[in-house]
Amino acid sequence: MEFENIASSSELPSYSPSTPSPSYSCELACGERLLEQTPRTRSSRPASTSLFIKKAGKTTIVLNEQEDGATIPRYGRQGIISGSVFLENTENIVDVTIKVKGKMDLTISEAGGESIKLIEDTYTLWSQASSTPRTERPTCPSQIAFSAILPTTFTADGKQIPLPPSYSVNHYAVPSLFVRCSYTLHLVITQTRYKKMDIWPKTKQIMVPFNYVPRTRAHRPIIPSPCFFSSVKTSPEEWYQAVTPLKMRPNVQLEPIYCHLFVPGARIYGLKDTIPFHVQLSGNVCALREIFSVQLDRVLSVDSYNTVASKKSPADKPLLKVSLLRQVSVTMKGLKSFKNTIIGEGSIWPIPPDLSACTLGTCREGHVDWEGELRCSEDITAGGFDASSVHVKDFISLTLSPPTPQSSLLALQITVPIRLVTDSCDVSGFDLAVPTGGDT
């Protein structure tokens, strides 16, 4: 059976692209009514609705959806760079183009410098050669809207690597290390020098640096606890424990003493999180008393050890120091260099210990404890990342110093790998009930 051809291709209506969808707004327009709403959680950031404006001579660039009062534009993962270009003089313009560029500049003493291209996308906003309708000499419009989406990856060694955030670190001491991940928006305007002659064009370029900050969120919250001992008994999964034996001088015969560092179990924390921790030295009471007998007042002191170092004498060096440690490593031309930086100092206070003398010649087990909190410095805006040649890793570092130069104890350092992310965990879906009882 033959079917009748209902409509030939020549009879189909001509295609015309639909108008772009309007910008979304949570505010109700005239004639609209709210059917259902999910309010923002406390950890959500407010929507950015302000404009960023840069004027250069007779040209103005306006970028949409920026934070109020921002001095530099900011975009997240797959961010859309949208805005408009305003031109006061358009008679001699031949082309208007925007370019989105990103690069990673590296320098280490062992291998010199290198620049890696992250992004280089070009978008033609207007061109005299391709303008329609074609006239003798079409004139560029005075206002041109544009929109460009940021990629999520770049190519390195044939692999797709997540695009690194805007980042900069400088270590000028020998050996030196320098890393900078930067992003810019370039507006390029090509003009003819003379109205009737298209030769010898001149180019005007306006550059707008912007920050690329891909958001990441911790998957588990930090459960607040009024008492570590009851919390670790009832919810041990909420704590990660690192245990290391203390190091002694050669030929020192003492029962082993262990250093325990407890941190929140997820080990993924927001940059603004306050990170609690607990430190415990456990072992034979006689060994603990022998090590700390001369400077036991420093163990029992309620003063925070987070005092400015310049105000302390060498004898007052903190027994314990807990900090956030960032390691930046660069691999170039088969050579590797790294630098460690403290990005947050911890406040720590001791819990009065029970180191009473043993009886009947039998030494019992005891412990000395400290509690404290850690937080990133305010100037830290990017978490750790891996960008092929550059690795940025974070750790919680505990340093234990001997109480006196004559002590049998040697210096000890414990590092716990963690990951710092831009946003804290959204606690709206978690039960944050904490234990209030238990033995202490």
Side-chain angles (χ1 to χ4, degrees), residues 12-332:
L12 294 176
S14 59
Y15 171 77
S16 60
S18 58
T19 58
S21 59
S23 299
Y24 172 78
S25 173
C26 59
E27 300 295 331
L28 294 176
C30 180
E32 296 180 342
R33 63 188 181 92
L34 184 65
L35 299 178
E36 187 175 358
Q37 181 184 21
T38 301
R40 289 180 176 270
T41 61
R42 291 173 294 177
S43 59
S44 297
R45 297 180 181 178
S48 301
T49 57
S50 297
L51 301 177
F52 176 87
I53 301 175
K54 180 168 183 177
K55 185 175 178 62
K58 297 183 178 181
T59 304
T60 303
I61 301 176
V62 177
L63 298 177
N64 304 328
E65 299 178 354
Q66 296 299 311
E67 295 180 359
D68 188 23
T71 58
I72 182 170
R74 171 177 174 148
Y75 298 98
R77 183 179 289 105
Q78 287 189 307
I80 299 177
I81 304 176
S82 64
S84 298
V85 177
F86 295 86
L87 306 166
E88 295 183 17
N89 187 0
T90 63
E91 291 184 1
N92 299 333
I93 294 179
V94 178
D95 291 290
V96 180
T97 303
I98 61 168
K99 298 180 180 180
V100 181
K101 295 185 178 182
K103 64 177 181 176
M104 184 164 58
D105 297 313
L106 312 175
T107 300
I108 58 175
S109 301
E110 297 85 346
E114 182 181 2
S115 183
I116 300 174
K117 182 171 64 177
L118 302 175
I119 310 174
E120 191 166 349
D121 295 336
T122 301
Y123 304 88
T124 300
L125 304 186
W126 185 85
S127 175
Q128 188 181 78
S130 60
S131 62
T132 55
R134 295 184 178 274
T135 61
E136 182 177 349
R137 185 180 291 275
T139 302
C140 177
S142 60
Q143 177 180 346
I144 308 175
F146 63 87
S147 180
I149 188 169
L150 290 172
T152 58
T153 61
F154 72 101
T155 304
D157 299 328
K159 299 179 181 179
Q160 293 297 310
I161 309 295
L163 204 63
S166 297
Y167 184 74
S168 178
V169 61
N170 302 308
H171 292 286
Y172 295 111
V174 179
S176 63
L177 183 146
F178 171 80
V179 176
R180 181 177 62 193
C181 302
S182 58
Y183 298 88
T184 51
L185 175 69
H186 297 251
L187 173 66
V188 182
I189 302 173
T190 304
Q191 298 174 292
T192 56
R193 294 180 183 271
Y194 306 100
K195 292 184 179 181
K196 297 183 179 180
M197 301 180 65
D198 292 340
I199 59 175
W200 304 311
K202 64 178 181 179
T203 300
K204 176 181 180 180
Q205 187 168 174
I206 303 173
M207 184 179 67
V208 181
F210 66 89
N211 284 333
Y212 175 63
V213 186
R215 293 177 61 181
T216 48
R217 187 184 298 278
H219 68 283
R220 285 174 58 184
I222 297 176
I223 306 298
S225 174
C227 176
F228 165 78
F229 294 102
S230 56
S231 173
V232 77
K233 289 181 181 179
T234 58
S235 304
E237 70 281 356
E238 296 298 335
W239 294 95
Y240 174 85
Q241 180 182 12
V243 184
T244 301
L246 269 61
K247 299 179 180 178
M248 302 295 176
R249 294 184 183 274
N251 302 322
V252 172
Q253 301 295 325
L254 281 177
E255 292 292 329
I257 297 176
Y258 295 90
C259 181
H260 307 254
L261 173 61
F262 296 85
V263 298
R267 290 188 290 158
I268 301 177
Y269 316 122
L271 292 175
K272 301 300 182 182
D273 279 344
T274 298
I275 308 169
F277 62 86
H278 187 94
V279 181
Q280 182 179 92
L281 301 181
S282 64
N284 186 284
V285 169
C286 295
L288 288 169
R289 290 185 62 85
E290 181 173 342
I291 291 177
F292 301 113
S293 59
V294 177
Q295 293 286 340
L296 190 58
D297 60 321
R298 288 169 61 197
V299 181
L300 298 173
S301 171
V302 297
D303 181 31
S304 171
Y305 296 118
N306 193 29
T307 307
V308 179
S310 60
K311 296 182 180 180
K312 289 188 170 186
S313 65
D316 293 327
K317 184 179 179 181
L319 178 67
L320 279 175
K321 183 179 180 181
V322 181
S323 55
L324 287 171
L325 178 70
R326 170 158 288 184
Q327 182 180 91
V328 180
S329 61
V330 176
T331 303
M332 188 189 308

Side-chain angles (χ1 to χ4, degrees), residues 400-412:
L400 175 63
S401 301
T404 65
Q406 299 78 24
S407 174
S408 302
L409 178 66
L410 296 177
L412 173 70

